[in-house]
Amino acid sequence: MHRRTLILAAGAAALLAAVPGAQAQEAVKVGLILPLTGPFTAIGRQVETGARLYMQQHGDTVAGKKIELIVKDDGGVADATKRTAQELIVNDKVDVLAGFGLTPLALATAPLATQAKVPMVVMAAGTATITEASPFIVRTSFTLPQATEPMADWAAKNGIKKVTTLVSDYGPGIDAEKAFTGVFTKAGGQVESLRVPLANPDFSPFLQKVADAKPDALFVFVPAGQGAQFMKQFVERGFDKSGIKLIGPGDVTDDEVLNNMGDVALGAITTHHYSAAHDSPENKSFVEAFKKASNGTRPNFMGVGGYDGMHLIYEGLKKTNGQGGQALIDAMKGMSWTSPRGPVSIDPQTRDIVQNIYVRKVERKDGELYNVEFATIPNVKDPVKAAKSN
Ligand code: PHB
């Protein structure tokens, strides 16, 4: 009897050892795909630093399993993102895909997440429809309409009547233009729209058109990092002395580049979900730790997207006891927590983030430029998807 049990036990052990991946189940693999070379490197670095910082602060074991982070560079090119995601799914057998620095990179990968039933945490990209591209997508960044509609409201209520919009000509820029124009014209405002190419933009010819139109305000969306180039050309053309107000979602004054823009940025009004100056104990310690982890770089909204994305993965895994797939996505739905940006939750219907949007003004504080928050619109859902479900 005793001998037979032993033999059976030995047989079971041999069988287990022969099952490929049996060992790997002790780890949860997270494939983090980001632009870490090319023109959008700043976005990738912010997200990676945020994600690594979260792991450093919370340990690398969740529900008894080791979290293994595999970081890959896609250079900001959608074909590379897709190929990398495929390799991570097939070869590395990742349990979670994460990152996605730009909208086209997220959209190219969405069908793979659906086919493989692998949760895909979008930590950066901001076009509203992204979460509809796969039931396995969940987002910890923001949507452009979510950040932009409050800007249109504020402008309409603060004496601005005529606006020129200038946006990068792709998903999030078009979302921002539509969201602003919809709300602002309904309130009686007048809008003229300009679109600038995403790659290597030269803003000068567009700024000439703005000068000719003489609007009360110039509404700008450019992706994180491009604000520096925009602001340089804005000053070169004397806009800082033109009386035309600079407004937009907060991408143009992102916290990483803001401090180097100089006084020209002072007074810019933006609406967004994150400011490094957000006044909370959670944010103060986040900013301090992020700077320590990155040679003094200030976190921006991309950094907090990476940090919160890891939080969502950790808390989801705690709920599923380490299980991935559909169970993990289900566990993430409805989750809420206090982020460095303020209170956030994951909408269980849309898998998109619900968060406060703050109205901010660029001011000098302790010798540095910050987006100083002065009003809060609480618990904002993406308005594009909210309108569809009504
Ligand atoms: C995007 O491509 O979705 C994107 C990139 C940078 C931003 C916002 C949106 O600042």
Side-chain angles (χ1 to χ4, degrees):
M1 222 12 211
H2 186 64
R3 195 180 137 75
R4 210 174 143 225
T5 312
L6 264 180
I7 289 167
L8 275 178
L15 203 71
L16 251 181
V19 176
Q23 214 90 33
Q25 304 226 318
E26 295 311 311
V28 174
K29 292 187 185 179
V30 179
L32 183 62
I33 316 175
L34 292 166
L36 294 167
T37 53
F40 301 103
T41 302
I43 294 177
R45 277 214 208 104
Q46 279 278 340
V47 175
E48 183 184 359
T49 304
R52 286 196 190 278
L53 175 61
Y54 189 88
M55 293 183 70
Q56 188 195 316
Q57 290 177 339
H58 296 83
D60 62 359
T61 305
V62 179
K65 296 194 177 187
K66 199 171 161 60
I67 307 293
E68 196 183 312
L69 189 69
I70 307 172
V71 180
K72 298 280 184 188
D73 173 24
D74 61 18
V77 178
D79 283 348
T81 320
K82 190 175 176 183
R83 184 171 17 87
T84 305
Q86 180 84 23
E87 287 165 7
L88 285 167
I89 291 168
V90 174
N91 301 340
D92 297 286
K93 307 205 165 32
V94 293
D95 300 282
V96 179
L97 289 166
F100 309 101
L102 297 160
T103 290
L105 316 182
L107 290 179
T109 309
L112 297 180
T114 307
Q115 278 164 24
K117 298 187 170 20
V118 172
M120 173 172 159
V121 181
V122 175
M123 297 171 163
T127 300
T129 53
I130 286 175
T131 46
E132 294 172 323
S134 167
F136 284 86
I137 291 180
V138 60
R139 171 155 48 191
T140 59
S141 47
F142 75 120
T143 85
L144 267 302
Q146 178 185 51
T148 298
E149 285 197 354
M151 186 72 253
D153 263 334
W154 186 91
K157 287 180 185 144
N158 284 272
I160 295 172
K161 301 208 164 12
K162 192 175 153 193
V163 172
T164 301
T165 61
L166 174 58
V167 304
S168 300
D169 192 4
Y170 79 122
I174 293 162
D175 262 8
E177 179 194 288
K178 279 193 189 155
F180 185 84
T181 305
V183 173
F184 192 65
T185 53
K186 216 176 196 174
Q190 223 183 312
V191 179
E192 187 176 330
S193 309
L194 302 172
R195 294 180 184 177
V196 56
L198 170 64
N200 308 311
D202 176 8
F203 298 101
S204 298
F206 298 95
L207 286 172
Q208 186 55 51
K209 286 188 186 167
V210 177
D212 295 343
K214 295 192 181 56
D216 301 320
L218 170 59
F219 170 99
V220 176
F221 167 79
V222 289
Q226 272 190 8
Q229 166 75 358
F230 168 78
M231 214 52 111
K232 191 169 159 272
Q233 297 190 314
F234 189 76
V235 186
E236 280 166 6
R237 301 209 145 243
F239 272 88
D240 47 334
K241 296 172 197 81
S242 69
I244 297 173
K245 214 168 177 47
L246 182 63
I247 61 172
D251 308 67
V252 67
T253 56
D254 93 66
D255 276 296
E256 185 176 337
V257 297
L258 175 60
N259 209 21
N260 293 325
M261 286 180 180
D263 286 356
V264 55
L266 286 171
I269 303 278
T270 55
T271 47
H272 228 210
H273 54 291
Y274 179 71
S275 166
H278 180 67
D279 190 10
S280 74
E282 290 83 7
N283 189 47
K284 281 205 173 74
S285 64
F286 171 68
V287 172
E288 198 176 305
F290 191 100
K291 282 184 170 172
K292 218 178 245 171
S294 62
N295 274 324
T297 303
R298 203 195 268 180
N300 67 15
F301 61 100
M302 294 298 183
V304 85
Y307 188 80
D308 283 337
M310 281 317 292
H311 176 87
L312 183 62
I313 293 167
Y314 271 47
E315 291 304 310
L317 287 168
K318 279 186 198 168
K319 262 171 89 176
T320 66
N321 213 8
Q323 221 189 308
Q326 185 70 54
L328 183 54
I329 272 290
D330 288 344
M332 289 170 168
K333 291 177 188 171
M335 208 164 252
S336 63
W337 68 98
T338 303
S339 156
R341 68 185 99 174
V344 300
S345 66
I346 300 298
D347 184 330
Q349 269 80 47
T350 64
R351 292 160 276 101
D352 222 331
I353 191 160
V354 182
Q355 56 194 336
N356 294 347
I357 298 298
Y358 306 91
V359 191
R360 314 97 51 85
K361 183 178 190 175
V362 175
E363 290 176 9
R364 199 172 282 286
K365 232 180 80 179
D366 308 325
E368 292 189 29
L369 295 178
Y370 282 100
N371 295 294
V372 178
E373 297 168 350
F374 64 88
T376 304
I377 300 99
N379 305 322
V380 181
K381 284 189 183 188
D382 171 56
V384 172
K385 288 185 289 290
K388 284 182 194 167
S389 67
N390 279 339

